[in-house]
Amino acid sequence: MNSTVSAIALPADWRDFLALTKPRVMSLVIFTGLCGMLAAPGHIHPVLGFTAILCIAIGAGGAAALNQWWESDLDAGMRRTADRPLPAGRMDRETARDFGVGLSAASVLVMGLAIGWLAGLILAISIVYYAVVYTIWLKPRTPQNIVIGGGAGAFPPMIGWIAVTGDITLMPVLLFAIIFIWTPPHFWALALFVQSDYAKVGIPMLPVVAGEKTTRRQILLYSLALLPIAAAPWLVGGTGIIYGMAALALSGLFLGFALPVAFRTRTGEDDPMRPEKRLFGYSVLYLFALFAALVADRVIWGQEFVR
Amino acid sequence: MNKQFEPDEEYLRRQRTRNIVLALILAGFAILFFAITLVRIKEGG
């Protein structure tokens, strides 16, 4: 077979495929999914539990690959994302798309067959929610993209819980709500200090469209709302006091980090944006600590609190 | 100008690595499916 030598690109490296799955985001997804599973009442065989977490991780990786396939042009225009495999030219778009579709389909199929079709259905919804509803539909259209799109990241603990119990009750819905409310202040804190990048590629992030003042006020409102939502699993009797106290303390501290962000204005172009960076960093720690407290509470109290 | 494609060393290395990674993933899934089947049989589900 003859072909033009110059047209033949190098096959993408396996590290590029890994990068396509956004491993750092995946670690949070695995952690919250695992916590949802460990906090759920009942028992799951370790092999099935491992399979469920693997499917959640692969599903998240597939959705992330589809996100990068769709946004490769936008990623090329932002400093933070310009070195990803597609904008950097280390992989072609079709390969990324096929990889994303393959991972997504495989994760749903294995989840359905091995764990149950309710868990498989919620996983499928979470993938479509992230890849289609958020990436394709909301993100380029509305500054509220993060608010509604944040739901995509809120599914893993719910799926972990359903993998054990086989049904949806109040507790997994509350775990969903916690991440749903946590996402906007987490992302808007990031958007405040990478604002110029989003503006450059025309993504209507709240600071770009509504301005910094509105964004800072919204961060405060969501941080206030997070306090009762995070404490809700304890308030409805779904957990013990260990989780309750941890939720109040961690959410109080979250508010403490959000207040300086809410009531300040940028001092100039060279503002180091330290309060915003601190809030963003703490928000990641917050979610890890809150879900760790949920599991610790379950380990200590056993099956006493079941909702 | 068209001529016969001759893969260089880097091309072959990447292709080999991808094949090994793919084979390991498939082997992992085969073991996982086997384990799931055993668990399901044991649990009677």
Side-chain angles (χ1 to χ4, degrees), chain A residues 231-286:
Chain A
W234 172 56
L235 296 173
V236 301
T239 69
I241 196 160
I242 295 167
Y243 171 81
M245 291 299 110
L248 289 176
L250 288 165
S251 304
L253 203 54
F254 196 108
L255 202 54
F257 278 105
L259 280 168
V261 174
F263 295 110
R264 79 183 281 269
T265 46
R266 191 189 287 261
T267 54
E269 277 307 302
D270 56 348
D271 189 324
M273 304 291 273
R274 284 204 188 92
E276 292 77 8
K277 287 175 182 169
R278 267 199 293 269
L279 175 63
F280 178 74
Y282 175 72
S283 68
V284 177
L285 182 74
Y286 169 86

Side-chain angles (χ1 to χ4, degrees), chain A residues 32-45 48-49 52-53 56 111-112 114-126 154-176 298 307, chain B residues 40:
Chain A
T32 55
L34 185 65
C35 288
M37 183 182 284
L38 294 175
H43 168 77
I44 186 168
H45 192 285
L48 300 180
I53 294 299
I56 292 172
M111 183 72 100
I115 310 300
W117 286 106
L118 182 60
L121 176 71
I122 304 292
L123 179 62
I125 290 171
S126 74
F155 282 106
M158 189 184 225
I159 300 169
W161 187 288
I162 293 167
V164 177
T165 63
D167 58 359
I168 302 174
T169 50
L170 181 61
M171 271 296 284
V173 174
L174 288 177
L175 298 184
F176 178 95
R298 177 70 72 201
R307 282 284 187 283
Chain B
R40 284 295 188 202

